[in-house]
Amino acid sequence: MSRSFQRLALAGALASAGLMFATGPAEAGNRPAKTVPVRLLSLNDFHGHLEPPTGSSGRLVDETGATVEAGGAAYIAAHMEQLTDSNTIKVAQGDLIGATPLISAAFHDEPSVEFLGKIGITTSAVGNHEFDEGYDELKRIMYGGCHPVDGCSPAGQWKGAKYDYIGANVILKRNTGGAEKDALAALGKNTGAIRGLLRQYGVPALPPVSIRWMNGVPVGFIGLVTRTTPNIVTAEGIKDLEFVDEVKAANVASKLLKLVGVRAQVVLVHEGDQVTPGQSPDACSAQPGAGNRIATQVDAEIDMILSGHSHQAYLCTVTDPKGGKRLYSQGGSFGRVITKVDFRVDTRTRDVVRSSVVADNQVVTRTVTPDPEISQFVQTWKDRVSTVANKPIGKITADIVNTAAPSGESPLGNLIADGQLAAAKNGGNAQIALMNPGGVRASLTYASSPAGEGDGVVTYGEAFTVQPFNNLLQVVTLTGAQLKTVLEQQFPGGPNNQAFTKILQPSSNFTYSYSASAPWGSKISDMKIDGVPVTDTQTIRVAANNFLVGGGDAFAAFTEGTDVWSGPLDIDAFAAHFAANPVIAPPVPDHITVTP
């Protein structure tokens, strides 16, 4: 890690803050008005959906209770233009990239980052998916340069994001005195107080905060990402990072802002809560969970919390630690909602007048005229990727969906696991395969071929939409007892801290039973491979993607595996399965039996 990047990480966000003690624009000339307006427009969990998302991913219940088509870059741009006034700051809450459609993913998400810069996003929290290709790749996206393996995109050398990525709770594991010295030297004023904060905080891997001036007052943004990130991204890419408690990091960042005179403070956090289904995006339908904990526990100096990660839309008012009221919101996913927040800032105290806060989740409908410049921009990238995306790889006889059966397995999850098993038998000696359900991002539909013929053609682009992560297929050896522990870790209640039930998708030759009502550790029974019972002491070669093998999704027992073999990318294994089986019928998801 270079010293220059350390300076960018901490000092780059705060070095200019010393200017806040000088005369700002609002203090020049005549006495300013008592309060000034600020408008925030925010997006979260865009996931590179430059083209309008399809199926359920492209629909949303609006404020009237009607289900409408929503999203798409050209429509986002049009709505942003309508909502923007002279008081506007545009921000985001992470997962802008990663798990993206091929139009973006084929070019390492440079098109999506460029689009977000075009519409004026100024600051975004990092999400867990910003780390999908690792910390070094995130820095390249932030600061520029061509991809180290694939080189430059058709657009030429990447110039870097036009907006700041911030993450106050992302810390370097290996601190160095030199990095701390450089950061403190650049900060200038208040180094004694900041030094104390820095020592309790650690050296940040990313800028913790971003400060924007609007109408003569500074507004500070604190970036946070879910502390569960190490469980849901590939371990190798973040081996040098620590993801500390969101509340602790936010409170330190809030003090840093206050030290440099920033009292209007907004948390952009990539963590959120689930909702009661079918509610208006303006309803407070969030069920208190990880997001609510952050929203209610961060320092009372913080005026509002804009969240992400759970892909839900809600507008809530929560109580801060001193009994004050503040906004807690989220804007769905895939660019279907823009959260608009209007408020006023007192020019004397430079703090938010919380009683003035008015928020609205604006649905990005497709009834407006799409922005012509962005429409052309998307078409350009669509043309660039079309040769790869439109290549047929096989056929299906009917829809193969990722909708879970009562057991938790899905036809598409079974199909992917079967493909991984086939790809890992030669070389890896795989005996079964398991697929994480969160990695199955979309269904395969019979009528979704590019020309819409309804002939069951599956293209590479459609397959990539199903599996967009470019994970590596691996095989490890587990004992029967270890495999049972992996399956126990599908359920909450164990030492792995699984947040909610996640049923791994099994290959067709592996069967077992589970009882959800049984105590943790005794839920799994009757494991069989090719109809033969599994014993605790036998060894089993288990195929899975490197995300799971690294302990992702809180499946820590996978890390106990030995004799790791690495094979093709998961998407290549999927395509190869179609090549070997040119016409595929939907598998029957009957490999898991649920008992009382």
Side-chain angles (χ1 to χ4, degrees), residues 440-463:
V440 187
R441 306 297 287 190
S443 296
L444 288 176
T445 53
Y446 183 80
S448 63
S449 60
E453 307 96 331
D455 59 3
V457 171
V458 176
T459 66
Y460 185 85
E462 291 164 347

Side-chain angles (χ1 to χ4, degrees), residues 14-345:
L14 293 175
S16 63
L19 297 175
M20 294 173 190
F21 298 98
T23 298
E27 297 170 319
N30 296 328
R31 184 177 179 180
K34 184 178 180 181
T35 64
V36 292
V38 177
R39 171 172 291 182
L40 302 182
L41 298 179
S42 77
L43 289 170
N44 61 275
D45 297 274
F46 177 58
H47 287 292
H49 279 272
L50 295 171
E51 297 181 272
T54 60
S56 60
S57 296
R59 295 190 292 268
L60 194 78
V61 175
D62 69 10
E63 296 89 340
T64 70
T67 299
V68 299
E69 300 290 323
Y75 295 104
I76 294 171
H79 281 273
M80 279 281 190
E81 178 65 25
Q82 291 178 0
L83 295 172
T84 299
D85 63 16
S86 60
N87 310 308
T88 298
I89 303 171
K90 299 173 184 176
V91 297
Q93 293 96 264
D95 274 12
L96 305 180
I97 59 176
T100 54
L102 188 61
I103 187 175
S104 184
F107 307 105
H108 299 280
D109 286 323
E110 291 174 19
S112 292
V113 177
E114 184 177 356
F115 157 70
L116 293 160
K118 283 179 176 292
I119 63 172
I121 299 296
T122 63
T123 302
S124 177
V126 286
N128 55 284
H129 281 288
E130 265 78 15
F131 294 95
D132 278 350
E133 293 191 52
Y135 177 47
D136 288 340
E137 171 64 4
L138 173 58
K139 289 186 290 181
R140 185 190 74 84
I141 288 294
M142 292 168 66
Y143 300 116
C146 294
H147 191 271
V149 175
D150 295 335
C152 294
S153 81
Q157 175 146 333
W158 175 240
K159 296 180 175 61
K162 290 184 178 179
Y163 55 90
D164 298 335
Y165 266 124
I166 55 176
N169 65 325
V170 187
I171 308 301
L172 288 172
K173 286 182 178 177
R174 293 190 294 273
N175 197 346
T176 66
E180 180 178 342
K181 182 179 178 181
D182 285 348
L184 290 171
L187 284 168
K189 294 187 178 183
N190 292 309
T191 54
I194 294 173
R195 185 189 300 272
L197 286 172
L198 186 61
R199 283 176 174 165
Q200 66 170 287
Y201 176 81
V203 174
L206 299 166
V209 299
S210 179
I211 301 165
R212 302 293 169 187
W213 284 80
M214 178 55 62
N215 292 329
V217 295
V219 180
F221 297 94
I222 299 168
L224 301 170
V225 61
T226 173
R227 61 180 172 177
T228 67
T229 296
N231 292 332
I232 51 180
V233 302
T234 302
E236 179 64 22
I238 58 168
K239 62 183 179 181
D240 295 328
L241 306 179
E242 181 181 358
F243 294 80
V244 302
D245 180 78
E246 304 95 339
V247 173
K248 175 184 175 182
N251 291 348
V252 172
S254 175
K255 291 176 183 177
L256 285 171
L257 288 173
K258 190 175 179 181
L259 278 171
V260 294
V262 182
R263 300 296 302 275
Q265 299 183 9
V266 179
V267 160
L268 306 175
V269 56
H270 192 72
E271 181 62 281
D273 294 324
Q274 297 301 315
V275 301
T276 304
Q279 302 296 301
S280 163
D282 291 334
C284 181
S285 54
Q287 301 168 0
N292 182 271
R293 180 188 75 89
I294 297 165
T296 56
Q297 293 183 14
V298 294
D299 198 290
E301 284 285 340
I302 294 166
D303 298 293
M304 61 191 73
I305 292 87
L306 309 184
S307 70
H309 190 49
S310 61
H311 290 204
Q312 306 300 330
Y314 49 81
L315 294 176
C316 294
T317 299
V318 297
T319 302
D320 70 27
K322 290 186 177 180
K325 301 298 182 182
R326 60 187 173 196
L327 173 69
Y328 168 47
S329 72
Q330 189 177 158
S333 62
F334 307 147
R336 293 175 295 172
V337 171
I338 298 168
T339 302
K340 177 170 72 76
V341 186
D342 287 303
F343 57 94
R344 302 191 72 85
V345 178

